[in-house]
Amino acid sequence: MRLSALRLAIFPACVALGLYAEWALLRRAPLQEPPTAGEIRLAVADLAVGLLFVACGLVIWTRRGNQTGPLFVTAGVFWFLGTFAASGYPGYADFGALFLTLHRGPLVHALLSYPSGRLERRMERAAVAVAYVLSTAPYIGRTPEGELALAVIVLGVAAQRFATATGPERRARATAALASAAFAAVLVVSALARAAGSGDAVDRAVLWAYDIVLAGIVVGLTLDLMLGRWVRATVTGLVVDLGETSEAGTLRNRLADALGDRSLVLGYRLDSGVYVDERGREVELPEGEGDRRVTTVTDGGEPVAALVHDAAVLASPDLARSVAAAARIAVGNARLQAEVLDQVDELEASRRRIVEAGDRERRRLEQELREGAEQRLVAVETLLDEAGDRAEGALAATLAETHEKLEQTRSELREFARGVHPRVLADHGLGAALAELAERSPTPVELRIPRARYAAPVEAAAYFVCSEAVANVGKYAEASRVVVDINERDGLLVVAVSDDGKGGASLEKGSGLRGLADRVEALRGRLTVTSPPGEGTRLVAELPLD
């Protein structure tokens, strides 16, 4: 017989079994006493609880394929067999006491394995084994001591499962923990009633409470599984977490936080079929049904990634499918972000190459001016000196005047070459170049600079920041002093130039400062200008040293 046909046959068979069991109980064989109205109502409630177990179990079993379904069906069958045991039916009374509390075994099994229906840890398996023993031992399970022991076991293990669970499993186990607490509470009440030797009225009230609690447990867990509220809440939180910017952490870290599994590994599939993590290390996918499981992320039917996680984290098929769908979108977004970042990196690299090429061209031009034009001017100056020694009268005066103009031209040419790219910067470093800059400045400059050497692009950027700032002070600031303060901090070379002038400077007002900002930003640095009117100007450049 096919499994689906078997499931269809179970419910009518259990209905017949339940009706027959309640009929046998009401006949009170062999006494044949007529049942009271209270007994009839209790029998109807007893029948309803058993059928709820069977019906809800079949729904879960059929619609979700969850192991909680068969456990509920088994508890329902044992429930009706326990009713036979209470009826004292001829031929059954000798061994029927075995079934009086046997339904508690699969019920505890369902509570302590919820939501997957599988016992994941040794402690859970041991607790369920003890529950089956207590429920099948007629002279132990129905005693106050036996019921109290079962209550303590159920409540303790359920609380421990909830306390150690994380992520979506914690949300699911909250329902099971609440159901376990209710079951433990009604067991404690029953044990106290038995220990006190209460009368029929109290016993009937305890039975009603027991039926109501069990009905609430089976309906509550079934609704929780079928509606999947914890699954939706988990997936919603996951989508929100994955929608955060990359500053919130890597995709693997955000998935691990959302699912509550810090051991989670995210592997991206390469064209070769190998999975690698975000650092390019190969990821081994576990096989079999161990503690580690694999959830494959597909796109267009093709695997693109894999999640290696704790088996309990994605035990629900619905949750696994939803997480895989959310991860597929996130993996696609991560790839797009990686492409954009790669383009941004290439753009920044291009800007750096342009700056470095400009600096090389500046150095070449400075060298050509110094070794070409300036040397030719020196040669001309030598010829003028020789001619001046032999000239007399008006010619001597003309040669002297020409010599002065030539000397002025040489001075201007040296200054221009120095402004293009000071030779001392390349030869002796930033400190020597800034010292020479301070000597030429009309405004007194105080230097607070380290003696260390840095990468050529960093030294060039720092020098031109200081040069432009000092030049602007001489042109516009009307300041009495300038302070150049350079230091290293958190992997940055921080260049600060301050004056006590009239302020009012801005990056937007002049092309010089804007050009400096472009140079600094090309090195992934930052340039800021603070210049309130009347309070001086402070220009700060932060240049990464790496």
Side-chain angles (χ1 to χ4, degrees):
M1 181 182 293
R2 294 170 54 186
L3 183 59
S4 58
L6 175 63
R7 292 171 185 170
L8 291 175
I10 287 177
F11 187 71
C14 287
V15 170
L17 175 63
L19 289 173
Y20 190 70
E22 300 303 335
W23 173 79
L25 179 65
L26 292 175
R27 286 184 65 244
R28 303 173 66 84
L31 301 178
Q32 301 293 331
E33 297 178 0
T36 65
E39 290 174 334
I40 294 175
R41 288 193 293 270
L42 196 56
V44 171
D46 189 82
L47 175 65
V49 171
L51 293 179
L52 274 176
F53 268 112
V54 175
C56 291
L58 289 173
V59 169
I60 295 172
W61 195 2
T62 304
R63 299 288 297 278
R64 287 289 183 263
N66 190 289
Q67 294 302 312
T68 304
L71 290 173
F72 276 176
V73 172
T74 304
V77 173
F78 287 167
W79 178 268
F80 290 134
L81 292 178
T83 301
F84 268 120
S87 70
Y89 197 79
Y92 187 79
D94 294 337
F95 66 91
L98 294 173
F99 295 100
L100 282 172
T101 58
L102 189 57
H103 65 276
R104 293 176 180 174
L107 175 58
V108 172
H109 191 162
L111 288 173
L112 299 186
S113 63
Y114 188 84
S116 66
R118 295 189 299 271
L119 298 170
E120 303 289 346
R121 295 174 177 82
R122 183 179 301 176
M123 182 184 66
E124 297 166 5
R125 291 191 286 269
V128 170
V130 172
Y132 276 112
V133 170
L134 290 177
S135 65
T136 54
Y139 302 108
I140 298 177
R142 287 178 59 82
T143 63
E145 295 79 6
E147 289 185 326
L148 286 175
L150 185 59
V152 170
I153 291 172
V154 171
L155 188 60
V157 176
Q160 193 273 340
R161 292 181 78 242
F162 174 74
T164 57
T166 57
E169 196 74 7
R170 186 178 182 87
R171 300 184 183 96
R173 289 182 181 179
T175 304
L178 181 62
S180 299
F183 182 59
V186 78
L187 285 178
V188 170
V189 170
S190 175
L192 294 177
R194 291 180 187 278
S198 55
D200 291 343
V202 174
D203 290 342
R204 191 173 293 111
V206 170
L207 289 175
W208 273 106
Y210 193 77
D211 286 353
I212 292 171
V213 168
L214 264 60
I217 288 173
V218 68
V219 171
L221 294 183
T222 301
L223 289 175
D224 190 61
L225 277 175
M226 297 307 298
L227 296 178
R229 289 189 299 270
W230 60 277
V231 172
R232 291 200 300 271
T234 299
V235 174
T236 300
L238 177 61
V239 171
V240 171
D241 289 341
L242 295 183
E244 297 291 336
T245 62
S246 59
E247 295 177 357
T250 65
L251 176 56
R252 178 263 161 200
N253 289 340
R254 284 178 282 159
L255 280 168
D257 291 339
L259 298 178
D261 181 9
R262 299 306 306 170
S263 67
L264 180 139
V265 176
L266 173 62
Y268 297 92
R269 190 177 187 274
L270 304 180
D271 292 337
S272 61
V274 176
Y275 289 85
V276 298
D277 62 14
E278 291 169 326
R279 296 184 179 179
R281 298 173 299 190
E282 185 174 349
V283 174
E284 301 239 349
L285 302 185
E287 298 179 358
E289 298 293 323
D291 293 335
R292 304 288 289 169
R293 303 287 171 81
V294 178
T295 297
T296 303
V297 180
T298 60
D299 188 7
E302 295 293 327
V304 295
L307 302 176
V308 182
H309 53 83
D310 187 89
V313 170
L314 298 179
S316 166
D318 288 343
L319 181 59
R321 286 191 295 270
S322 300
V323 168
R328 179 177 66 248
I329 298 173
V331 167
N333 289 340
R335 287 185 172 181
L336 290 175
Q337 290 178 7
E339 292 177 2
V340 171
L341 290 175
D342 182 63
Q343 293 175 3
V344 170
D345 288 341
E346 179 57 32
L347 177 60
E348 291 182 346
S350 177
R351 293 177 68 186
R352 287 195 298 274
R353 288 193 295 270
I354 292 172
V355 169
E356 291 169 3
D359 286 340
R360 286 195 299 271
E361 189 63 22
R362 282 170 173 267
R363 287 194 297 271
R364 186 191 63 81
L365 180 57
E366 184 271 339
Q367 186 175 3
E368 288 185 358
L369 290 173
R370 178 168 45 82
E371 297 178 356
E374 187 175 357
Q375 291 303 316
R376 287 192 290 272
L377 289 176
V378 170
V380 172
E381 186 177 9
T382 301
L383 292 174
L384 287 175
D385 288 340
E386 293 177 356
D389 291 340
R390 296 191 297 270
E392 296 179 357
L395 179 59
T398 301
L399 290 176
E401 182 180 355
T402 303
H403 187 280
E404 291 178 2
K405 291 182 177 180
L406 184 60
E407 182 63 33
Q408 183 179 0
T409 301
R410 282 186 59 198
S411 177
E412 291 176 353
L413 183 61
R414 284 195 300 269
E415 190 66 27
F416 176 73
R418 192 181 292 114
V420 169
H421 195 284
R423 181 180 181 182
V424 68
L425 178 63
D427 293 345
H428 302 289
L430 182 60
L434 290 180
E436 185 179 271
L437 176 67
E439 290 176 2
R440 301 196 314 269
S441 172
T443 306
V445 177
E446 178 184 347
L447 297 178
R448 303 170 185 168
I449 54 178
R451 295 182 178 180
R453 293 297 304 267
Y454 304 100
V458 174
E459 288 193 335
Y463 174 81
F464 285 112
V465 165
C466 296
S467 177
E468 180 69 21
V470 171
N472 285 343
V473 170
K475 293 177 183 178
Y476 314 113
E478 300 177 7
S480 62
R481 62 191 294 266
V482 181
V483 176
V484 176
D485 189 354
I486 300 178
N487 60 81
E488 298 180 29
R489 184 177 67 237
D490 300 330
L492 299 172
L493 185 67
V494 181
V495 181
V497 183
S498 307
D499 66 65
D500 57 357
K502 63 181 182 179
S506 172
L507 286 174
E508 289 74 23
K509 288 183 179 180
S511 59
L513 289 179
R514 184 64 262 175
L516 284 180
D518 291 340
R519 172 186 281 271
V520 170
E521 290 168 3
L523 299 178
R524 294 186 177 180
R526 183 177 62 171
L527 181 70
T528 57
V529 177
T530 305
S531 185
E535 298 183 19
T537 299
R538 180 176 173 80
L539 186 147
V540 178
E542 296 175 334
L543 301 167
L545 289 173
D546 58 355

